[in-house]
Amino acid sequence: MSLSATVATPSGAKITVPTGLFIDNEWVPSADSQEKLQCINPATEELICEVVAASEKDIDIAVAAARRAFKTTWGKNVTGFERSRLIHKLADLIERDAQQLAELETLNNGKPVKIARDFDIGDSVGCLRYYAGWADKILGQTIEVDNKTKLAFTRHDPIGVCGQIIPWNYPINMWAWKVAPALAVGCTIVMKPSELTPLTALKLSELVKEAGFPPGVINTVPSLGGVGGAALSSHKDVDKVAFTGSTVTGRKIMEAAAKSNLKKVSLELGGKSPHIVFESADLDQAANWAALGILYNTGQDCTAGSRLFVQDSIYDKFISILAAKAKELTIGDGFDEKTGGGPVVSKTQYERVWGYIEAGKQAGAKCILGGTKRPGKGYFIDPTIFTDVTPDMKIVREEIFGPVLSVARFKTEKEAIELANDTTYGLGAGLHSKDSDQCMRVASALEAGTVWVNQYNLLNNNVPFGGKKQSGIGRELGFDALQEYISVKAVHYNFGEKLDWPL
Ligand code: NAD
């Protein structure tokens, strides 16, 4: 059975893609299943290739490989210096192959090649290098106990075997955010990419082997969520699951973790992030950030600023600036240089997003941009803006995950904060104002894991990211992400105290 496919891209490149499971640094078929995942190009709706779908038994095999590596090599006797060197090496190889990886990402996910290459991959390389820097700086503490006969110290040990379940909106980025901190502290990994976009995770696995990681350190098992994802979440020999995706799935993962072995869980879930424009703001700049907030990655962004609140006094003026800017974005084939946003990822997402657009129209919201389907192939959805929305509307309450913005007005700062916080989510929030006191007041009052002031959506690898409320548990990026993969052991050491017995 062939475990690779050659795919041609519109640029003329021919890319060989592994299509098997990556376990113990080898490409293997499923142990007991003939199931395949179909990888579809969302710009053309054509099949790119099929890859092996891991079964429950394959997950067992991958977890056993990760456990062996944890006990014998990576988690046991590979030093922080060596972990750092290998992570840097992996980053070098990703930089070397950036164009090829970007084209593959575009084929499978739809996003523009230049964005995949310069942002997703550029940022992923930065993420690997940031955590490579930490690998030899994992420090415990020495703690004073009695100053004479005893001391205590802590070891920051790797937590063990980690199941990592990632979504389809940033297949390379989410891979890097998950593997980099886990590798840095000495964990081993079973990675389950989304069934929709497994190709770049498979290609990255080739680079893992080329970089020289020992077998079993990273294992890649594309699979349906209800099969491979569920098996990882309920596996008794997995010590931690890290997940990015929907809140519904996050809930299932936490339940499975609780019912199996109480494994540690970190969840990066959805959002319905508010974006507030006050009357003192630089309106042109605020409109640029608001457009980026909802249209970046065609709105398939957990932090998408999908609820915009604009102060009454500038409402009409701001909306006309914003609508003109949103119209300027070209949604098209990611291989076209002019394209600023690709199609949405799949037919299911396309239908889902259109369901919300229809719901908005039916509820009486005013569609001032977009709202009309394009003829022809490809899951393209143009920027869509609804005004005159009310807080109870479905398009205001639920995560759409497409380029669909709802806009409402407010009179006072207090009202803006109340509207912004009126959601079960708490991932991101943004505000624009030239009044610095107002910026500090509102930033403190917003219930979100990340607040952007006079900007939106930009993240840094050294700054923690994650959600409040039902947007998640735990943090990715920055120093905080290391804690998600560490198990703290306290050692109480006695070098003199005698115990008199009986008590
Ligand atoms: P999803 O949560 O179902 O999928 C994300 C990942 O979870 C995939 O790898 C999937 O295979 C896996 N998964 C699915 N069911 C699972 C289970 N029972 N146990 C373990 N893993 C499982 O998301 P989706 O269905 O692809 O998209 C639906 C909605 O989720 C989107 O419209 C969007 O609102 C949201 N979403 C959010 C993010 C994010 O970055 N926060 C990413 C993708 C999707």
Side-chain angles (χ1 to χ4, degrees), residues 165-169 192-196 223-226 229-230 233 243-246 249 252-253 268-270 301-302 349 352 399-401:
I165 303 173
I166 58 171
W168 41 259
N169 53 343
K192 195 207 82 61
S194 165
E195 54 270 47
L196 297 175
S223 179
L224 291 173
S233 316
F243 169 73
T244 297
S246 62
T249 304
K252 288 186 195 164
I253 288 173
E268 202 267 273
L269 308 176
D301 206 316
C302 47
Q349 275 306 111
R352 224 177 110 90
E399 184 177 42
I400 299 177
F401 234 63

Side-chain angles (χ1 to χ4, degrees), residues 427-431 439 442-453 455-456:
L427 194 59
L431 69 117
C439 289
V442 178
S444 329
L446 290 171
E447 295 165 358
T450 298
V451 178
W452 285 282
V453 180
Q455 58 172 328
Y456 201 82

Side-chain angles (χ1 to χ4, degrees), residues 10-238:
S11 74
K14 286 202 167 42
I15 305 175
T16 306
V17 195
T19 56
L21 309 176
F22 183 70
I23 300 175
D24 252 341
N25 277 4
E26 300 297 336
W27 295 101
V28 295
S30 168
D32 63 345
S33 160
Q34 300 301 315
E35 287 286 313
K36 293 280 165 60
L37 302 173
Q38 298 212 319
C39 302
I40 307 288
N41 177 347
T44 61
E45 303 180 35
E46 285 166 9
L47 180 72
I48 306 165
C49 63
E50 290 184 327
V51 308
V52 174
S55 66
E56 220 172 295
K57 182 160 186 200
D58 298 319
I59 300 295
D60 283 342
I61 295 170
V63 170
R67 179 60 64 193
R68 269 195 305 281
F70 185 69
K71 280 189 168 165
T72 58
T73 57
W74 199 249
K76 173 93 174 159
N77 55 21
V78 176
T79 62
F81 305 110
E82 178 64 359
R83 294 199 301 272
S84 177
R85 189 188 70 76
L86 282 169
I87 300 168
H88 272 303
K89 175 80 182 164
L90 178 59
D92 292 342
L93 296 178
I94 295 174
E95 263 176 339
R96 182 196 70 190
D97 291 354
Q99 180 65 24
Q100 200 182 52
L101 283 162
E103 293 195 20
L104 197 57
E105 191 82 321
T106 300
L107 269 189
N108 200 181
N109 164 282
K111 67 179 68 194
V113 175
K114 61 177 188 241
I115 289 181
R117 186 190 54 229
D118 300 344
F119 291 92
D120 294 34
I121 294 173
D123 183 69
S124 298
V125 167
C127 182
L128 286 160
R129 294 204 188 286
Y130 171 75
Y131 285 106
W134 274 114
D136 55 8
K137 301 171 193 69
I138 308 298
L139 308 176
Q141 290 178 310
T142 309
I143 303 166
E144 181 190 316
V145 179
D146 73 355
N147 277 342
K148 291 190 292 288
T149 59
K150 286 193 276 185
L151 64 82
F153 62 92
T154 56
R155 292 177 48 98
H156 284 207
D157 292 331
I159 199 164
V161 173
C162 299
Q164 301 191 322
I165 303 173
I166 58 171
W168 41 259
N169 53 343
Y170 291 94
I172 294 178
N173 247 167
M174 291 301 102
W175 187 91
W177 282 23
K178 295 271 183 294
V179 304
L183 290 178
V185 302
C187 291
T188 58
I189 295 165
V190 178
M191 163 65 67
K192 195 207 82 61
S194 165
E195 54 270 47
L196 297 175
T197 54
L199 296 184
T200 44
L202 291 169
K203 197 71 187 159
L204 287 163
S205 304
E206 277 188 342
L207 302 185
V208 166
K209 185 169 179 174
E210 185 182 340
F213 283 84
V217 174
I218 299 183
N219 306 276
T220 308
V221 285
S223 179
L224 291 173
V227 180
L232 272 174
S233 316
S234 60
H235 205 289
K236 292 227 166 57
D237 202 30
V238 169

Side-chain angles (χ1 to χ4, degrees), residues 177-347:
W177 282 23
K178 295 271 183 294
V179 304
L183 290 178
V185 302
C187 291
T188 58
I189 295 165
V190 178
M191 163 65 67
K192 195 207 82 61
S194 165
E195 54 270 47
L196 297 175
T197 54
L199 296 184
T200 44
L202 291 169
K203 197 71 187 159
L204 287 163
S205 304
E206 277 188 342
L207 302 185
V208 166
K209 185 169 179 174
E210 185 182 340
F213 283 84
V217 174
I218 299 183
N219 306 276
T220 308
V221 285
S223 179
L224 291 173
V227 180
L232 272 174
S233 316
S234 60
H235 205 289
K236 292 227 166 57
D237 202 30
V238 169
D239 300 300
K240 186 232 155 75
V241 169
F243 169 73
T244 297
S246 62
T247 299
V248 173
T249 304
R251 228 181 270 283
K252 288 186 195 164
I253 288 173
M254 210 167 169
E255 193 182 344
K259 283 186 173 159
S260 52
N261 62 344
L262 280 173
K263 59 179 68 62
K264 184 169 180 171
V265 172
S266 57
L267 305 172
E268 202 267 273
L269 308 176
K272 192 72 190 173
S273 299
H275 203 160
I276 308 173
V277 184
F278 290 101
E279 59 192 359
S280 70
D282 174 334
L283 297 192
D284 192 68
Q285 271 301 303
N288 285 349
W289 292 108
L292 180 89
I294 187 61
L295 300 178
Y296 190 66
N297 214 31
T298 317
Q300 301 168 114
D301 206 316
C302 47
T303 53
S306 51
R307 293 182 300 136
L308 186 68
F309 300 105
V310 184
Q311 198 150 18
D312 226 6
S313 49
I314 52 155
Y315 186 87
D316 293 333
K317 186 174 175 195
F318 186 76
I319 297 307
S320 69
I321 300 173
L322 176 64
K325 291 193 185 267
K327 218 172 171 175
E328 278 169 14
L329 184 83
T330 308
I331 300 277
D333 190 311
F335 282 90
D336 186 338
E337 273 294 306
K338 291 193 298 296
T339 295
V344 295
V345 76
S346 66
K347 188 159 195 285

